[in-house]
Amino acid sequence: MKNKFVSYIKKNKNIFLTVLITIAIIILIETIGVVIYKKINNSIVNNVGVIVRSTGERTEKECIRRLQKLFGRKNVYLIKNAYPLANASAQTFNLSKQINKKWILVVDADVILFDDKIINFIEKAQQVIKKDKTAFSFQGMLFDNLMLRNRYVGFILYYKDNLKFDSNYF
């Protein structure tokens, strides 16, 4: 078997070399792209604190892992088993006061977000803030293939400068 593979490679070495070079170029492009992507987005990522709200979802660890990879371990906080929703919201806002970031991203643990989509979402929110000085909350939507419509999902981005922390609200 090994001899057949070696003889195949010898006969088709140009194809084999082309494939290897193509793979190497793809790896290089992806590596350069990741470095550029990280440099461009550091200014965004460094201004975001993340709060994950969990009630024991099976996706909790993956949700946290992805967010920590993007925003850093020290910038991701967990609120666990806060019931009812009003209590979870109160805990979220109290924790938000303590996080020294311009933006607070609140994510339900059953939501797995893509890095580039989160960054795009925050970039769009920054554009809105430049135009509307009173905006403070941005909620994510997705197209639900089962329901065949857009619907809100469990993540909200808050702009802290415009957010009023009124403890009487809760």
Side-chain angles (χ1 to χ4, degrees):
M1 182 74 176
K2 184 179 177 183
N3 290 336
K4 286 183 179 180
F5 180 71
V6 171
S7 66
Y8 176 80
I9 290 175
K10 285 181 180 178
K11 286 181 187 176
N12 299 297
K13 66 181 174 184
N14 288 342
I15 294 171
F16 184 71
L17 286 173
T18 303
V19 169
L20 281 178
I21 291 170
T22 304
I23 291 171
I25 289 171
I26 289 170
I27 291 170
L28 180 63
I29 289 170
E30 284 191 11
T31 304
I32 291 170
V34 167
V35 170
I36 292 170
Y37 178 78
K38 285 185 177 181
K39 283 183 180 178
I40 290 171
N41 295 312
N42 271 346
S43 64
I44 293 172
V45 168
N46 291 336
N47 286 313
V48 179
V50 182
I51 299 173
V52 177
R53 295 192 298 204
S54 174
T55 56
E57 290 87 349
R58 64 181 176 83
T59 54
E60 174 188 315
K61 288 181 182 173
E62 179 63 14
C63 174
I64 292 170
R65 185 192 69 77
R66 285 185 181 211
L67 292 167
Q68 286 178 339
K69 182 179 143 204
L70 182 61
F71 295 101
R73 203 175 198 97
K74 66 179 181 168
N75 295 318
V76 179
Y77 304 85
L78 176 64
I79 295 176
K80 191 152 181 140
N81 296 325
Y83 301 101
L85 180 60
N87 185 26
S89 297
Q91 286 184 37
T92 300
F93 281 100
N94 287 333
L95 181 55
S96 295
K97 289 184 211 176
Q98 299 168 26
I99 299 172
N100 190 24
K101 301 286 183 182
K102 283 187 174 196
W103 297 91
I104 301 295
L105 179 65
V106 180
V107 182
D108 290 346
D110 62 345
V111 176
I112 306 294
L113 300 170
F114 295 103
D115 294 356
D116 60 328
K117 301 300 182 198
I118 298 171
I119 298 301
N120 290 343
F121 185 73
I122 296 168
E123 287 172 340
K124 297 286 186 212
Q126 287 178 330
Q127 291 171 5
V128 171
I129 289 294
K130 288 178 183 175
K131 294 177 183 173
D132 181 355
K133 303 297 183 195
T134 62
F136 66 90
S137 173
F138 305 87
Q139 183 152 12
M141 292 185 83
L142 64 74
F143 182 78
D144 187 325
N145 289 317
L146 185 62
M147 304 296 283
L148 300 176
R149 64 179 175 89
N150 287 324
R151 68 175 182 87
Y152 291 107
V153 292
F155 77 96
I156 303 173
L157 180 66
Y158 294 101
Y159 184 63
K160 277 183 64 175
D161 288 354
N162 295 346
L163 191 59
K164 307 294 184 246
F165 293 103
D166 186 357
S167 59
N168 293 328
Y169 180 73
F170 300 103

